[in-house]
Amino acid sequence: MHRRSFLKGAGIVTILVAGGAVWRAEDQGVFSVGQGPAYQPWRDWQTDASTGPLALVRAGILAASPHNTQPWLFRVTNSSIELYADTKRNTGALDPYLREQHISLGCALENLMLAAGASGYSASVSLLPGKLEPSPANQQQLVARVELAPGARQKNELYDVIPLRHTNRNPYDPKRAIPPDVAGALAGLVTDEPNVKLFLFEADSDRKKIAGIISTANNVLYADPEVQHGS
Ligand SMILES: Cc1cc2nc3c(=O)[nH]c(=O)nc-3n(C[C@H](O)[C@H](O)[C@H](O)COP(=O)(O)O)c2cc1C
């Protein structure tokens, strides 16, 4: 069962969204480019008849995750949502301390909080303390609790673009130039961030050099059988 599609039929108040049946990615078209059943949750996220806090989960599950592991579980009631790490959905030696996994849980939480405002909730989040440790086997770890109360409906431009953020799974096209306005927009992102430096390598020779370095590093990384297995 696709973790993102699971919500399609869920209309109950308290649920634990957990993997269960075997889901075969190929059958669900997850490797197809921008279409097929794997993309349904992006189309349905607002139009499905979702009431209450489940609408927030629909936004949460559209978040990015390392290797599409979707390592999240939600416990939903009428007035709260708990977010759990599903530690068994890890990428092994690629992410031994579950650092990337926790980044993706943060992405899901961010989407969820944006949706809370847009859905007319006042939401307060408590993050549980924790540290990055070697991956615990098959655990569900509580990482955040969101308390929900009625509030003013708030629109947010980041909320509006939630369904636009996903990989298109097209091959990279090294010949395609980056439009100048995109480069300008990227540079503009860090003007208010004194501790962040952005380097844009636009010359063809620089781009080739960097692509070569990344490719070499990737080959070294994936020569490790444990990394291959985790991946
Ligand atoms: C912490 C983190 C690390 C990621 N690293 C890579 C990466 O190295 N290369 C890549 O192509 N995508 C990377 N991704 C993107 C995921 O592959 C992508 O989010 C996932 O396949 C789900 O697809 P979606 O974003 O379209 O939902 C990363 C995502 C996260 C959250």
Side-chain angles (χ1 to χ4, degrees):
M1 178 182 291
H2 192 303
R3 292 168 68 75
R4 281 171 169 158
S5 302
F6 176 78
L7 283 174
K8 207 167 156 47
I12 47 179
V13 176
T14 304
I15 55 163
L16 184 62
V17 181
V22 175
W23 170 64
R24 283 176 299 162
E26 294 85 350
D27 287 355
Q28 296 294 319
V30 72
F31 298 122
S32 63
V33 176
Q35 56 190 359
Y39 291 88
Q40 198 63 30
W42 275 272
R43 289 188 286 272
D44 291 346
W45 77 301
Q46 282 173 318
T47 52
D48 267 3
S50 64
T51 51
L54 208 50
L56 283 47
V57 177
R58 285 184 201 287
I61 62 165
L62 299 186
S65 61
H67 284 237
N68 202 10
T69 44
Q70 301 177 39
W72 36 64
L73 294 164
F74 302 88
R75 187 180 291 278
V76 185
T77 74
N78 277 336
S79 59
S80 69
I81 299 176
E82 288 177 339
L83 172 64
Y84 291 79
D86 188 355
T87 63
K88 73 173 183 295
R89 303 185 68 88
N90 67 70
T91 50
L94 263 182
D95 190 22
Y97 299 104
L98 301 185
R99 178 183 149 275
E100 291 199 347
Q101 182 175 96
H102 282 80
I103 292 173
S104 68
L105 292 167
C107 297
L109 189 58
E110 180 71 21
N111 278 8
L112 196 150
M113 292 298 283
L114 289 168
S119 307
Y121 286 103
S122 160
S124 63
V125 61
S126 317
L127 301 176
L128 272 85
K131 55 182 179 186
L132 299 176
E133 302 178 286
S135 157
N138 298 349
Q139 275 185 21
Q140 296 169 8
Q141 286 183 325
L142 182 62
V143 295
R145 184 179 286 118
V146 179
E147 299 294 338
L148 301 168
R153 209 171 272 272
Q154 289 169 356
K155 274 286 184 182
N156 180 302
E157 62 178 11
L158 290 177
Y159 170 77
D160 294 336
V161 297
I162 285 176
L164 305 182
R165 186 233 57 83
H166 62 78
T167 30
N168 64 17
R169 307 199 187 278
N170 280 316
Y172 291 109
D173 179 358
K175 294 203 178 74
R176 190 166 154 192
I178 297 173
D181 56 328
V182 172
L186 284 171
L189 287 176
V190 297
T191 47
D192 295 336
E193 303 281 353
N195 296 321
V196 180
K197 281 186 184 163
L198 178 76
F199 300 89
L200 289 177
F201 298 94
E202 295 180 81
D204 221 30
S205 56
D206 287 341
R207 294 174 62 175
K208 279 201 178 104
K209 194 170 162 188
I210 288 168
I213 292 169
I214 292 173
S215 177
T216 304
N218 208 49
N219 291 341
V220 171
L221 183 66
Y222 278 87
D224 181 336
E226 280 189 43
V227 167
Q228 277 177 33
H229 181 251
S231 173

